[in-house]
Amino acid sequence: MDITAPPSKRARKSPFLDEDITGIRAILSDEFDEDIALIKAHSCQLETKQQLQAVIQELSQKLPHFQHLKRVQDRSVLICPSSELGISQSLEQHLEQFAFSEHVLRALCQGVRVVEVPERMPRLRVQYEKTLKHWPCKFHPNHYSESLRNGSNFSSAQRTFHKRMGQLLVRLSRDVNANRPVGICVDPRQPSIVSIAGTGEVCKPHEHCCMMLVDFVARSQEGGATQTEVIFTEDAKGETTLRGIPKAYYDYLMNNEDCKDLTFGAEKARECKEANPVQGADNLAKFGPYLCTGYDVYLLQEPCLMCSMALVHSRAKRVFFVKNSDNGALATRFQLHSVRELNHHYEVFQFTAEENEDLT
Ligand SMILES: [Zn+2]
């Protein structure tokens, strides 16, 4: 991961007006998004199909390359990556060290040519179809990954709600927070707004919008470190709390007719929580709120590395953002959510000014 790298081609023109937010796209890691690189490989052309069985049997024992590829196409057989041959070494010289039986060695040296083959297995059908032009490869389609790519992972009601939150970020920033960044955290089960936070006029690193948002979620769970004006209202049953929502945002939303149908409040932390709840929305239902477990986070600006890590630590379920940031850690500079070594992974989506295709 190179944080000094220039912003990648992923940075697209961001929507700036609330009405510009018309679509949502998943930010998938490069292994889903990029065309699969090709590598050079030596292949041979068998004279008869009868040679095939013996050739494949010995090849798979002595040169077990290309697990992701079909080894044979018509009568062409993949032998090894061309990079394995020594400088100015012929294929025959290279193969001598593997003690092939004589008739197999002879077959492998017939009609030798260099072909280009995919370097790894494709993750999405669109990548798979491109690789077919070069050499047939194996492919295990993953329905969920495909749905993230084509947008069918959301129902139209879910999509409408997410876009509404995106539009709300733009409005809250403009109307309440002097065009500075704003974030909203939502419990998607209701859905209900758990916390809202914005960057202040003077912004220390721990006061980035996203850090404040996470802190306000903690406040809804009787934690939190920041002092700002809060509303201490509970619902009639005392099951939800508005401690994560500063008064200025709450008043603005309450005074806007088109926000009257929104639900506010976080489920209160349960007293008797089992130790070590693990990630996922199911645990939110089972154990009650724990940091941002099961919660969706909406941000006006793509978060920086520190804020993106804070969302990992707090176990956010999904992160949506509107605008790319020069130091953004989810799309512009790199994709923190695709780092396998991390112990928690959230999904990342960006609002776009392009409408999603109608998939119904
Ligand atoms: Zn930040």
Side-chain angles (χ1 to χ4, degrees):
M1 210 158 54
D2 179 8
I3 58 168
T4 61
S8 76
K9 58 184 183 300
R10 289 167 172 281
R12 295 186 178 185
K13 193 170 179 294
S14 311
F16 283 95
L17 299 171
D18 51 344
E19 61 263 34
D20 287 344
I21 292 175
T22 50
I24 306 173
R25 70 180 184 108
I27 309 275
L28 297 173
S29 65
D30 285 342
E31 61 182 304
F32 290 86
D33 237 13
E34 290 187 337
D35 287 350
I36 302 207
L38 300 172
I39 54 165
K40 288 189 166 37
H42 272 65
S43 72
C44 65
Q45 182 79 18
L46 302 183
E47 277 173 359
T48 66
K49 282 199 171 171
Q50 284 68 36
Q51 295 172 295
L52 205 55
Q53 195 184 356
V55 166
I56 292 299
Q57 200 172 8
E58 285 201 33
L59 264 184
S60 58
Q61 283 167 5
K62 292 170 181 170
L63 291 172
H65 298 291
F66 307 122
Q67 300 291 326
H68 62 294
L69 297 172
K70 296 193 173 153
R71 199 97 196 216
V72 185
Q73 175 174 224
D74 299 326
R75 278 183 287 122
S76 291
V77 179
L78 285 182
I79 302 172
C80 63
S82 302
S83 58
E84 297 221 330
L85 273 64
I87 297 166
S88 65
Q89 188 183 37
S90 71
L91 178 67
E92 197 169 352
Q93 288 165 338
H94 177 64
L95 294 178
E96 270 167 10
Q97 60 189 303
F98 298 101
F100 281 99
S101 48
E102 210 181 311
H103 65 289
V104 169
L105 184 62
R106 211 178 316 120
L108 291 175
C109 295
Q110 292 162 359
V112 172
R113 66 194 175 105
V114 174
V115 291
E116 289 195 312
V117 299
E119 186 181 36
R120 61 173 173 87
M121 200 190 295
R123 303 299 299 267
L124 292 178
R125 183 161 294 281
V126 59
Q127 294 172 315
Y128 170 64
E129 281 165 5
K130 283 185 190 167
T131 61
L132 289 179
K133 284 187 284 184
H134 303 282
W135 192 275
C137 61
K138 294 173 189 166
F139 175 53
H140 307 299
N142 179 307
H143 180 71
Y144 187 65
S145 303
E146 296 288 342
S147 75
L148 282 175
R149 165 47 76 232
N150 66 25
S152 62
N153 58 310
F154 295 129
S155 68
S156 99
Q158 288 166 341
R159 182 181 303 284
T160 302
F161 180 81
H162 296 314
K163 284 194 284 189
R164 198 171 171 201
M165 288 301 105
Q167 290 158 354
L168 207 53
L169 289 170
V170 178
R171 287 175 55 187
L172 290 175
S173 169
R174 182 189 62 208
D175 298 343
V176 186
N177 202 33
N179 291 318
R180 293 188 293 266
V182 171
I184 302 174
C185 181
V186 168
D187 179 343
R189 294 173 300 170
Q190 294 270 353
S192 174
I193 294 177
V194 167
S195 73
I196 303 177
T199 306
E201 207 171 336
V202 184
C203 179
K204 296 173 192 147
H206 67 279
E207 290 170 351
H208 283 190
C209 165
C210 190
M211 303 298 278
M212 300 289 282
L213 189 67
V214 168
D215 192 64
F216 287 2
V217 171
R219 195 153 66 180
S220 76
Q221 297 159 14
E222 310 294 324
T226 323
Q227 300 297 318
T228 50
E229 194 183 6
V230 289
I231 5 171
F232 292 103
T233 320
E234 294 177 349
D235 68 355
K237 291 186 205 155
E239 286 173 358
T240 63
T241 170
L242 296 173
R243 289 174 64 95
I245 307 173
K247 195 166 183 309
Y249 295 106
Y250 188 73
D251 289 347
Y252 172 85
L253 294 168
M254 281 295 128
N255 289 325
N256 269 278
E257 269 309 307
D258 61 346
C259 297
K260 289 263 158 72
D261 61 321
L262 291 172
T263 305
F264 299 91
E267 183 190 334
K268 289 166 77 176
R270 295 178 201 170
E271 278 177 21
C272 209
K273 202 167 354 181
E274 292 183 34
N276 299 324
V278 277
Q279 65 185 58
D282 288 342
N283 287 298
L284 176 57
K286 212 161 151 188
F287 302 116
Y290 171 71
L291 306 176
C292 294
T293 300
Y295 286 171
D296 289 337
V297 170
Y298 302 86
L299 301 166
L300 185 66
Q301 287 293 149
E302 180 189 359
C304 71
L305 183 57
M306 175 186 66
C307 290
S308 303
M309 269 314 295
L311 294 172
V312 171
H313 292 314
S314 57
R315 308 287 193 272
K317 181 185 179 194
R318 293 180 291 209
V319 179
F320 299 75
F321 69 91
V322 179
K323 301 178 191 179
N324 291 97
S325 302
D326 289 345
N327 63 350
L330 301 183
T332 306
R333 290 281 180 185
F334 43 83
Q335 305 148 336
L336 187 72
H337 55 294
S338 66
V339 176
R340 291 216 176 122
E341 289 78 6
L342 292 174
N343 63 344
H344 173 78
H345 298 91
Y346 42 71
E347 291 176 352
V348 177
F349 300 88
Q350 181 171 18
F351 295 108
T352 67
E354 298 143 33
E355 258 176 80
N356 291 89
E357 287 169 51
D358 187 3
L359 296 155
T360 52

